[in-house]
């Protein structure tokens, strides 16, 4: 090494013998899925693999839920509540550059968020839990959903009744997370991830010669005024103690320096951590748009597309998750991260039933960890074992 920093401390991870036994198989499944990634609502091959595995474990299996979703039900030896464990199966439109022997064989598609690991880990947990079926007082519903990446697979799973028949009492899910090192687990109580809203705005003026602006209506100037003024909703309309961010990521209009164009297009996103704040700021955005365009004689089209709701972890379930995580990575390994302004469709389940969504650190301690959605994304596969152990323990602990 020769960097003078001394040896890298490897984390202490406690895996039960049952989990250790399935681990090699789980990693093989992860690599198999990694090599054959599929985009949202196209997870046909992955869903077939999942369904076949669940059937082989003797679970009752439902396929074609929300197009490509798969649900397996494990009924324990004794009656009791129903706990749901969830994984997402979709990949991203990215050309993989890792060079792994199990790298994507599909051009332009890659498991760059770790959902291959989520799917494999949940199959591993199903394997372990089905072997201890007789000891379980209650049922475990294994939910493999499509299209987490901005296409709201979870919302459709809920609409198609995944939380019913039998009714789910609590739901858990996790994300392997490269922003945290291997051997750490993050659990946030309460609002943990943001509500996401997307906008497409067209500001319409009347085109003309740049030298005769009085004969035109300038949408560029109106867009500029809107762009600057709309940020005041964050500084003036929002409660300073309530996190929110509004970003315009795209502005497009005009082609020539001496021409006033007819229109300008803007695209952006609002992120909030409470429904109250979300409703207020959505209203303010349109008010500012209306006021700034009207003042300059322009008009507008306003297209608002709601994204995911706020993800809220139930306090009791978050405590349970911390207790479970501590048994696997030790008390020091359990962190309570601040909420993030990213969105996650697990929120759709958690607005219906209590539960918790956890972060499982997956950055290798001795090599550079590339971020999620990067073409070189490289999780430490030992995190998948931690994920299996946590899922198994969450179900057992909840049903105990
Ligand atoms: Zn992602
Ligand atoms: Zn993800």
């Amino acid at each position: 090494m020769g960097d003078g920093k001394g040896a890298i401390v490897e984390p202490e991870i406690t895996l039960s013998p049952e989990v250790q036994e399935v681990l090699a198989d789980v990693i093989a499944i992860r690599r198999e899925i990694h090599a054959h990634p599929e985009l949202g609502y196209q997870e046909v091959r992955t869903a077939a693999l999942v369904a076949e595995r669940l059937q082989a474990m003797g679970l009752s299996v439902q396929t074609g839920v929300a197009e490509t979703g798969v649900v397996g039900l494990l009924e324990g030896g004794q009656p009791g509540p129903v706990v749901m464990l969830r994984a997402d199966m979709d990949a991203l439109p990215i050309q993989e550059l890792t060079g792994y022997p199990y790298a994507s064989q599909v051009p332009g598609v890659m498991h760059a968020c770790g959902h291959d690991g989520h799917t494999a880990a949940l199959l591993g947990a199903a394997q372990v839990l089905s072997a201890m079926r007789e000891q379980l007082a209650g049922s475990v519903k294994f939910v493999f959903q499509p299209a987490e990446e901005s296409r709201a697979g979870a919302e459709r799973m809920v609409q198609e009744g995944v939380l019913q028949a039998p009714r789910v009492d609590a739901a858990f899910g996790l994300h392997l997370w490269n922003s945290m090192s291997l051997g750490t687990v993050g659990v946030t109580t309460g609002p943990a991830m943001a509500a996401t809203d997307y906008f497409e705005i067209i500001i319409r003026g009347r085109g003309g010669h740049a030298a005769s602006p009085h004969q035109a209506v300038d949408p560029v100037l109106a867009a500029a005024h809107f762009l600057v003024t709309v940020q005041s909703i964050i500084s003036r309309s929002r409660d300073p103690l309530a996190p929110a961010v509004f970003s315009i990521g795209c502005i497009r209009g005009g082609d020539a320096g001496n021409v006033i164009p007819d229109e300008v297009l803007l695209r952006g996103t609002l992120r909030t951590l409470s429904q109250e704040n979300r409703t207020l700021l959505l209203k303010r955005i349109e008010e500012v748009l209306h006021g700034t365009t009207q003042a300059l004689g322009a008009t507008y089209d306003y297209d608002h597309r709601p994204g995911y709701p706020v993800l809220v972890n139930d306090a009791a379930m978050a405590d349970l998750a911390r207790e479970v995580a501590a048994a696997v990575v030790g008390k020091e390994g359990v962190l309570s991260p601040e909420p993030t302004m990213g969105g996650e469709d697990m929120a759709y389940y958690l607005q219906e039933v209590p539960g918790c969504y956890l972060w499982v650190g997956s950055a290798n301690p001795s090599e550079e960890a590339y971020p999620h959605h990067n073409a070189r994304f490289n999780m430490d596969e030992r995190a998948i074992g931690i994920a299996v152990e946590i899922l198994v323990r969450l179900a057992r602990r909840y049903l105990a």
Side-chain angles (χ1 to χ4, degrees):
M1 298 202 318
D3 63 0
K5 285 184 194 155
I8 282 153
V9 181
E10 288 296 332
E12 283 203 25
I13 303 165
T14 311
L15 298 185
S16 58
E18 296 89 344
V19 169
Q20 287 180 32
E21 208 173 294
V22 301
L23 216 46
D25 191 36
V26 167
I27 299 301
I29 293 173
R30 185 255 162 167
R31 293 181 174 195
E32 162 70 20
I33 296 173
H34 191 89
H36 302 95
E38 296 168 304
L39 295 174
Y41 296 121
Q42 298 169 26
E43 306 92 334
V44 176
R45 192 181 191 279
T46 311
L49 181 153
V50 167
E52 188 196 306
R53 289 279 176 155
L54 294 177
Q55 267 147 7
M57 296 169 202
L59 272 60
S60 50
V61 179
Q62 215 184 329
T63 57
V65 188
E67 294 187 33
T68 45
V70 183
V71 180
L73 183 68
L74 174 68
E75 286 174 285
Q78 299 133 57
V82 179
V83 62
M84 170 181 144
L85 303 176
R86 168 272 202 179
D88 39 15
M89 302 187 290
D90 57 323
L92 287 156
I94 293 174
Q95 178 64 45
E96 179 160 352
L97 297 175
T98 62
Y100 290 143
Y102 55 88
S104 172
Q105 295 174 18
V106 184
V109 184
M110 175 189 179
H111 267 294
C113 200
H115 300 185
D116 49 344
H118 304 166
T119 302
L122 189 53
L123 280 174
Q127 182 81 57
V128 171
L129 287 164
S130 60
M132 48 181 74
R133 174 193 294 253
E134 288 313 310
Q135 305 160 37
L136 298 175
S139 300
V140 188
K141 209 179 251 194
F142 300 94
V143 172
F144 298 81
Q145 70 157 78
E148 190 286 322
E149 299 284 1
S150 75
R151 299 203 48 212
E155 183 181 31
R156 289 194 50 189
M157 296 292 284
V158 172
Q159 284 165 356
E160 296 192 16
V162 74
L163 297 175
Q164 309 301 327
R167 211 172 68 83
V168 169
D169 295 296
F172 295 94
L174 52 79
H175 209 302
L176 297 158
W177 204 234
N178 264 17
S179 304
M180 291 168 38
S181 55
L182 183 81
T184 61
V185 174
V187 181
T188 305
T189 298
M193 296 186 76
T196 57
D197 287 278
Y198 298 91
F199 304 88
E200 185 166 294
I201 293 164
I202 298 173
I203 297 183
R204 296 189 192 282
R206 191 175 62 244
H209 200 295
S212 307
H214 60 294
Q215 293 170 350
V217 173
D218 185 357
V220 176
L221 185 65
H225 275 275
F226 167 69
L227 197 71
V228 172
T229 312
V230 75
Q231 284 302 336
S232 67
I233 67 169
I234 301 299
S235 67
R236 304 290 87 177
S237 305
R238 171 189 64 111
D239 176 343
L241 298 180
V245 61
F246 181 67
S247 293
I248 303 266
C250 165
I251 176 163
R252 206 174 285 163
D255 293 300
N258 62 350
V259 176
I260 292 169
D262 278 321
E263 58 185 48
V264 172
L265 166 83
L266 303 113
R267 291 197 183 106
T269 181
L270 173 73
R271 306 294 170 101
T272 47
L273 283 178
S274 76
Q275 188 55 43
E276 190 190 353
N277 213 15
R278 185 184 192 187
T279 308
L280 169 76
L281 295 179
L282 286 173
K283 181 168 142 281
R284 289 296 294 135
I285 289 167
E286 191 167 6
E287 285 171 357
V288 170
L289 179 62
H290 182 80
T292 48
T293 51
Q294 197 183 40
L296 295 163
T299 58
Y300 63 87
D301 293 341
Y302 176 74
D303 181 20
H304 162 234
R305 193 163 51 83
Y308 301 161
V310 186
L311 185 147
V312 182
N313 287 330
D314 177 85
M317 296 300 119
D319 285 347
L320 187 149
R322 280 196 191 90
E323 180 197 316
V324 159
V328 186
V329 295
K331 260 201 163 72
E332 327 71 55
V334 183
L335 313 175
S336 300
E338 292 294 323
T340 83
M341 299 312 267
E344 161 64 55
D345 76 355
M346 179 78 191
Y348 287 101
Y349 309 112
L350 296 183
Q351 67 180 5
E352 304 290 332
V353 296
C356 186
Y357 190 63
L358 303 78
W359 304 109
V360 175
S362 55
N364 183 293
S366 57
E367 67 176 35
E368 184 187 357
Y370 287 91
H372 295 256
H373 295 209
N374 184 295
R376 291 188 168 80
F377 174 72
N378 58 339
M379 72 162 99
D380 188 322
E381 286 183 322
R382 287 176 292 173
I384 300 173
I386 297 176
V388 177
E389 185 72 42
I390 287 176
L391 290 166
V392 168
R393 284 176 180 266
L394 281 169
R396 296 188 69 186
R397 177 69 183 76
Y398 185 82
L399 297 180

